[in-house]
Amino acid sequence: MGTEYAYDADGTVLPLGDGTIRLNRIRTRDESHIRVYRKRDGRGDECLCVASGITGSPKAYRKAVTGWLREYARGKLTEKVSVFSAQMQVDVNRIAIKEQKTRWASCSAKGNLNFNWKLVLMPECIQDYVVVHELAHRKQMNHSKAFWREVEHVLPDYRERNAWLLEHERDFLNY
């Protein structure tokens, strides 16, 4: 059974890349919208402000916060794809950000990449591993020895990264 995360609670802390981000619940008079934005608090720590007057609707808050995280993932992962695709000399068609139940990413024969938004909650080195793994499929649409050589060429420590992902992925699928 996974942990329930209170996306509408002040002080909830979420992992984000190599760090964390704290939710700062701001109560407003607006009972029809939830505004989510990132800023620094008085101590200089980054927080994700969740501003609304809506009460009794945790699903609405989850949707708003995960919507912000999806857009953050789109920018972050698109940037990583750009860097690594140039390095690996592969082309990509389209990048989609989804919420899969059991997959972190996929690559189609047409060069379409799908990423789970929850990937941005993981450490940067794991995000890099998943991106490189999918881009290697642009050269090898399988998991052959040639495929793993492509991954290893960019990430010599890919085995350790893969082991970390296998060990910790359930923790992140629960968000």
Side-chain angles (χ1 to χ4, degrees):
M1 189 71 148
T3 304
E4 291 294 322
Y5 294 92
Y7 291 97
D8 60 340
D10 189 42
T12 296
V13 177
L14 301 173
L16 189 64
D18 289 340
T20 60
I21 194 160
R22 184 179 46 79
L23 298 185
N24 181 10
R25 174 72 167 86
I26 301 169
R27 298 196 191 312
T28 67
R29 293 181 187 171
D30 186 349
E31 295 180 2
S32 57
H33 300 94
I34 300 171
R35 201 167 128 236
V36 180
Y37 56 95
R38 189 176 186 173
K39 74 169 201 170
R40 293 206 179 271
D41 64 15
R43 296 178 308 218
D45 296 330
E46 289 221 88
C47 63
L48 198 58
C49 296
V50 183
S52 181
I54 296 173
T55 58
S57 187
K59 285 184 181 179
Y61 282 91
R62 182 187 191 284
K63 183 178 179 182
V65 172
T66 60
W68 185 91
L69 287 164
R70 279 175 104 112
E71 287 307 308
Y72 177 78
R74 180 177 313 287
K76 185 82 162 168
L77 297 171
T78 297
E79 181 181 316
K80 288 179 179 293
V81 166
S82 178
V83 168
F84 286 115
S85 64
Q87 181 180 344
M88 296 171 74
Q89 299 179 332
V90 295
D91 293 325
V92 171
N93 187 21
R94 179 182 57 81
I95 298 171
I97 305 300
K98 300 183 176 190
E99 183 172 353
Q100 299 98 321
K101 298 260 188 250
T102 60
R103 299 185 111 190
W104 293 111
S106 63
C107 175
S108 75
K110 293 181 180 180
N112 296 326
L113 300 178
N114 296 309
F115 293 102
N116 190 326
W117 70 262
K118 296 175 184 180
L119 189 57
V120 296
L121 302 174
M122 293 185 182
E124 296 281 339
C125 67
I126 304 304
Q127 295 173 35
D128 293 347
Y129 165 69
V130 173
V131 168
V132 169
H133 180 112
E134 295 311 322
L135 291 173
H137 283 308
R138 296 296 296 132
K139 292 184 176 183
Q140 301 286 330
M141 285 299 287
N142 53 48
H143 289 111
S144 64
K145 287 182 181 178
F147 167 84
W148 290 111
R149 278 194 300 274
E150 293 292 341
V151 175
E152 186 173 37
H153 181 73
V154 180
L155 300 173
D157 66 342
Y158 81 89
R159 287 177 187 88
E160 290 84 5
R161 296 177 194 221
N162 184 53
W164 188 96
L165 180 60
L166 292 173
E167 181 179 343
H168 297 280
E169 66 184 344
R170 284 183 175 261
D171 300 334
F172 292 90
L173 287 169
N174 291 327
Y175 282 91

